[in-house]
């Protein structure tokens, strides 16, 4: 039988690493980008199409799935993989971030977070133990520890107290996960480093997580409005505080140039709603930068969306047609641009893996930024 969880580094180039994560439901090539399937669907995409574009793993959302259709119902229906027709690994977040950002009338205590649903106002309690139970009911392959994510502009003493609380919750998450029987025997648990923009707090958090022991480690609390420069400032040191032989996951990131800069700094895994959300709103990511397909200059452009892309959208449809779909509000427009954006993200990850393996990552990153960050002519 395939190992429960095995991370291997095949090559490094500076701080950048490429390798793989082996799990029972499949191997994940790293650096990896995980499309976000918030409510058991990667929006505007069939699961088989997401896989065909190169995704080895997707992300599911504990908060949304616990509220609708409910974790117990998903379990009754055979688990999240069967429910949504995705037979490869799924990482589920813990629900903590959404509870803090989406819910009204939330009450934070040592025990957990009491909150009201943004859907119907019903009252719920989410604790580390309940988060582990929900992710077990969903059948998650990579489970995230339950944490709190404070805003980076809060006073340092608040951020420190929040980090310490998250570390106590991390231990409870570990204990809750380990009590999961068969699920714990085939799945993995990741801890989440907190500390906002403070290097000392990040270091303390990493030490506490390492003492508990996890299969992988996430850098949490970034991409929450601090800006790319501040985020990169944290990533200059934060991954180095985490175990070198475990995967490092930057949560909720990001734009294509964010991904390149984070891989340069030693990150192995990413997730973000940007390629799918942008696809529904007419923004496409290309090797020459992001473009707005609603722009009138595309109305009679018979060329492809991205000449360097071989995805079905680029090889079949013209910019003029995609512009028309966006202006008309047609559902097909959201589907086609989402397909392209996900293909572009996977192509970018594949190109980075190849450049790291070939020892040419610095040159690749420089060339990428030259083309991506210039205005498209």
């Amino acid at each position: 039988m395939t190992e429960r969880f095995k991370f291997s580094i095949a090559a490094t180039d500076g701080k950048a690493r490429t390798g793989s994560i082996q799990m029972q439901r499949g191997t994940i090539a790293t650096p990896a980008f995980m499309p976000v399937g918030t409510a058991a669907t990667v929006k505007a995409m069939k699961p088989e199409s997401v896989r065909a574009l190169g995704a080895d793993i997707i992300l599911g959302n504990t908060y949304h799935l616990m509220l609708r259709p409910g974790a117990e119902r998903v379990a009754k229906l055979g688990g999240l993989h069967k429910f949504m027709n995705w037979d490869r690994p799924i990482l589920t977040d813990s629900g903590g971030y959404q509870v803090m950002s989406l819910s009204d009338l939330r009450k934070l205590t040592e025990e957990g977070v009491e909150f009201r649903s943004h859907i119907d106002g019903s009252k719920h309690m989410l604790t580390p133990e309940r988060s582990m139970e929900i992710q077990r009911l969903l059948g998650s392959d990579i489970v995230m520890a339950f944490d709190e994510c404070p805003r980076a502009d809060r006073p340092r003493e608040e951020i420190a107290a929040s980090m310490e609380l998250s570390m106590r919750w991390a231990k409870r998450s570990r204990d809750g996960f380990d009590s999961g029987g068969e699920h714990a025997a085939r799945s993995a648990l990741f801890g989440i480093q907190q500390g906002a923009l403070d290097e000392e707090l990040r270091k303390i958090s990493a030490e506490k997580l390492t003492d508990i022991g996890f299969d992988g480690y996430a850098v949490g609390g970034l991409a929450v409005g601090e800006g790319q420069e501040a985020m990169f400032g944290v990533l200059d040191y934060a991954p180095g505080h985490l175990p070198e032989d475990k995967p490092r996951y930057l949560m909720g990131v990001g734009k294509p140039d964010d991904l390149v800069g984070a891989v340069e700094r030693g990150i192995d895994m990413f997730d973000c709603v940007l390629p799918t959300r942008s696809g529904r709103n007419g923004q496409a990511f290309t090797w020459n930068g992001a473009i707005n397909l609603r722009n009138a200059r595309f109305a009679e452009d018979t060329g492809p969306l991205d000449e360097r892309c071989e995805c079905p959208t680029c090889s079949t449809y013209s910019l003029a047609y995609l512009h028309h779909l966006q202006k008309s509000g047609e559902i097909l427009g959201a589907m086609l641009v989402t397909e392209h954006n996900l293909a572009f993200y996977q192509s970018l990850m594949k190109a980075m893996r190849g450049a790291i393996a070939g020892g040419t990552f610095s040159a690749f990153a420089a060339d990428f930024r030259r083309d991506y960050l210039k205005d498209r002519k």
Side-chain angles (χ1 to χ4, degrees):
M1 180 181 286
T2 306
E3 291 190 54
R4 177 187 67 85
F5 186 90
K6 181 182 179 183
F7 177 56
S8 305
I9 298 172
T12 60
D13 191 354
K15 290 183 180 180
R17 304 121 62 92
T18 185
S20 65
I21 298 170
Q22 289 178 277
M23 300 194 74
Q24 290 183 15
R25 282 197 171 97
T27 298
I28 304 155
T30 62
F33 179 81
M34 301 181 281
V36 174
T38 301
T41 169
V42 178
K43 288 181 171 57
M45 294 290 294
K46 291 182 178 180
E48 54 267 36
S49 300
V50 176
R51 173 61 182 152
L53 296 175
D56 293 331
I57 178 173
I58 61 172
L59 180 143
N61 190 281
T62 290
Y63 171 86
H64 289 280
L65 291 170
M66 71 177 277
L67 296 179
R68 187 172 54 196
E72 280 77 10
R73 178 172 290 169
V74 172
K76 186 177 179 181
L77 294 168
L80 186 55
H81 295 79
K82 182 179 179 182
F83 186 52
M84 68 177 293
N85 188 34
W86 178 264
D87 63 1
R88 293 189 60 81
I90 296 176
L91 180 148
T92 48
D93 61 16
S94 71
Y97 176 75
Q98 282 75 24
V99 165
M100 306 302 168
S101 62
L102 293 180
S103 310
D104 292 326
L105 304 174
R106 58 190 176 273
K107 180 183 177 185
L108 177 70
T109 65
E110 183 70 35
E111 178 63 18
V113 188
E114 186 179 77
F115 66 96
R116 291 193 180 276
S117 163
H118 74 286
I119 298 171
D120 59 10
S122 57
K123 188 179 289 188
H124 300 265
M125 182 73 180
L126 196 54
T127 65
E129 292 78 14
R130 177 58 177 157
S131 177
M132 296 303 102
E133 181 184 26
I134 292 168
Q135 294 180 76
R136 182 162 60 247
L137 287 165
L138 296 174
S140 171
D141 299 285
I142 298 179
V143 172
M144 298 305 297
F146 187 62
D147 68 335
E148 186 197 9
C149 180
R151 281 174 35 183
D153 61 358
R154 303 305 300 162
R156 187 180 190 273
E157 57 270 23
E158 285 188 26
I159 291 170
S162 172
M163 181 274 288
E164 293 286 357
L165 175 63
S166 287
M167 296 308 99
R168 294 192 295 276
W169 284 357
K171 178 61 169 70
R172 288 168 57 192
S173 296
R174 175 84 261 180
D175 293 342
F177 176 88
D178 289 344
S179 68
E182 182 272 334
H183 179 255
R186 63 169 178 79
S187 303
L189 179 66
F190 281 25
I192 306 176
Q193 181 199 53
Q194 290 290 354
L197 308 181
D198 190 293
E199 182 169 6
E200 183 184 1
L201 295 180
R202 288 272 175 189
K203 187 171 187 292
I204 294 169
S205 178
E207 290 169 352
K208 289 178 180 287
L209 291 173
T210 306
D211 285 345
I212 297 169
F214 293 91
D215 297 297
Y217 296 84
V219 179
L222 295 176
V224 288
E226 76 281 354
Q228 188 187 73
E229 184 179 353
M231 179 180 74
F232 282 170
V234 173
L235 294 178
D236 282 336
Y237 59 78
H241 293 152
L242 300 170
E244 199 170 309
D245 61 345
K246 305 289 186 183
R248 301 159 176 167
Y249 163 31
L250 179 58
M251 305 182 76
V253 175
K255 300 189 302 295
D257 49 312
D258 292 334
L259 303 185
V260 174
V263 168
E264 273 181 313
R265 292 163 172 84
I267 296 295
D268 306 298
M269 299 171 69
F270 303 89
D271 80 279
C272 191
V273 298
L274 200 59
T276 48
R277 179 179 290 167
S278 295
R280 299 193 302 280
N281 294 319
Q283 183 184 50
F285 297 100
T286 80
W287 291 98
N288 290 317
I291 60 172
N292 181 358
L293 288 163
R294 295 176 182 273
N295 194 307
R297 65 194 170 108
F298 300 122
E300 298 182 0
D301 192 328
T302 58
L305 176 51
D306 188 343
E307 292 179 351
R308 292 173 59 183
C309 180
E310 298 178 355
C311 80
T313 295
C314 289
S315 57
T316 311
Y317 301 98
S318 68
L319 273 164
Y321 183 60
L322 298 173
H323 167 81
H324 159 70
L325 293 177
Q326 292 295 329
K327 295 291 282 188
S328 304
E330 289 289 340
I331 293 170
L332 183 59
M335 294 167 63
L336 293 177
V337 183
T338 297
E339 178 181 57
H340 163 76
N341 283 346
L342 288 176
F344 172 75
Y345 268 59
Q346 296 300 342
S347 294
L348 176 59
M349 304 314 291
K350 184 178 180 180
M352 286 197 281
R353 293 193 294 265
I356 297 166
T360 60
F361 188 73
S362 293
F364 168 84
D367 289 346
F368 173 81
R369 281 189 276 262
R370 179 197 66 211
D371 294 341
Y372 184 81
L373 297 175
K374 72 178 181 184
D375 291 331
R376 179 162 169 150
K377 298 294 187 283

